[in-house]
Amino acid sequence: MHKLGYTRSTSQRGHLLHTPDTFVRTVLPGMEHATAVVHISPAGGAAFTQYSADLEPGGNLGITSNQRFIYVLEGAADLATETIFHPLTTGSYAYLPEDCPHTLTAQQTTRLAVIEKPYESLGSTASPDVLVGHEDKVLSVPLNDDPDLQVRNLLPNSSSFDFAVNTMTYQPGAALSMVEVHVMEHGLLMLEGGGIYRLGEQWHPVAAGDFIWMGPYCPQWFGAIGKRPAKYLIYKDWNRNPLV
Ligand code: UGY
Ligand code: MN
């Protein structure tokens, strides 16, 4: 049933809210038995690409020569590179450096959040190696001493990485303590719960399944509403000089 043209999705110059009712599926090069919803890409104004991928059992993620970050939203998949073989389950994540041939094969119906970005080197700093982890094993730290707002940094605190991916969990009623305006951009996937997101000059109701892109300097604020925690996965460019 259509909704007479109504949607919460909105695409603005400096931000995007992408809600599931507007998702259009595509197949990216090399994907087999899998589809993708591309939430944001350079075509939309971002310096990275983020998509959600749905894989059937035996399905494969496509190819890339860029850096790739994968977070398993649901299901199970095997990651293989020339040097490692690693089973991934819900909450697992993997970082693949650029020019790292690999396969990602679903062992059951699997949903992934995927982020891709060309690598920006930093002088003589060595580029990162393949990394696999699980969110449950990452230490959770309060943001600005607020125990009701917990952050997990999924990638190591190393300047070899040119981006960061974190999860942020808000207890009901918790909120960012300030409106942030910063040079970094964000790709954000709502994983659980919901609340109100300020993007630019407007406040939007958001819920699990929604994606948000915030461009550089997009005024942003979030408050969790509801009886259960709100949680999101958030990307930002990191560790590099904005002038480069
Ligand atoms: O890392 C961040 O900039 C984060 N606090 N931003 C956000 O949640 N919108
Ligand atoms: Mn921010």
Side-chain angles (χ1 to χ4, degrees):
M1 215 334 230
H2 67 72
K3 295 180 186 159
L4 294 168
Y6 176 75
T7 179
R8 288 183 298 112
S9 279
T10 179
S11 177
Q12 306 291 327
R13 197 173 133 80
H15 64 264
L16 167 85
L17 171 59
H18 200 200
T19 62
D21 55 307
T22 59
F23 291 174
V24 174
R25 296 191 167 274
T26 185
V27 176
L28 297 173
M31 273 189 153
E32 290 172 333
H33 305 291
T35 58
V37 175
V38 181
H39 300 299
I40 192 66
S41 72
F48 67 103
T49 292
Q50 182 161 351
Y51 55 94
S52 299
D54 281 284
L55 282 65
E56 296 168 17
N60 280 290
L61 205 55
I63 46 168
T64 183
S65 57
N66 287 311
Q67 304 181 93
R68 177 179 266 172
F69 180 91
I70 297 162
Y71 178 90
V72 182
L73 298 164
E74 204 180 299
D78 288 341
L79 173 68
T81 70
E82 281 164 2
T83 53
I84 65 147
F85 175 86
H86 216 292
L88 307 176
T89 55
T90 304
S92 293
Y93 59 90
Y95 167 83
L96 287 315
E98 64 178 355
D99 296 322
C100 174
H102 60 276
T103 57
L104 195 289
T105 310
Q107 297 308 304
Q108 58 191 68
T109 302
T110 298
R111 283 195 312 123
L112 308 171
V114 186
I115 296 161
E116 293 171 2
K117 179 187 181 298
Y119 183 61
E120 205 181 297
S121 58
L122 182 67
S124 57
T125 307
S127 57
D129 285 331
V130 176
L131 181 144
V132 179
H134 196 285
E135 192 192 349
D136 288 350
K137 302 219 170 72
V138 179
L139 186 71
S140 175
V141 290
L143 185 69
N144 298 328
D145 296 326
D146 181 353
D148 290 336
L149 205 183
Q150 295 285 329
V151 182
R152 284 190 166 93
N153 300 287
L154 302 185
L155 292 177
N157 179 16
S158 158
S159 55
S160 60
F161 289 95
D162 68 355
F163 67 89
V165 183
N166 305 332
T167 59
M168 296 180 63
T169 306
Y170 297 70
Q171 291 307 308
L176 285 175
S177 62
M178 56 183 278
V179 178
E180 296 180 5
V181 180
H182 52 59
V183 63
M184 302 86 75
E185 59 179 337
H186 285 309
L188 183 160
L189 189 62
M190 288 295 300
L191 301 178
E192 294 170 20
I196 298 291
Y197 230 104
R198 178 183 170 159
L199 299 169
E201 305 313 316
Q202 287 176 324
W203 282 253
H204 301 268
V206 296
D210 291 351
F211 173 85
I212 297 170
W213 169 65
M214 292 165 250
Y217 303 109
C218 173
Q220 57 199 255
W221 176 87
F222 178 68
I225 295 181
K227 294 194 172 179
R228 53 174 298 188
K231 179 179 173 188
Y232 52 73
L233 182 77
I234 183 166
Y235 157 96
K236 61 181 163 188
D237 47 304
W238 201 232
N239 289 324
R240 294 295 180 270
N241 190 320
L243 199 56
V244 178

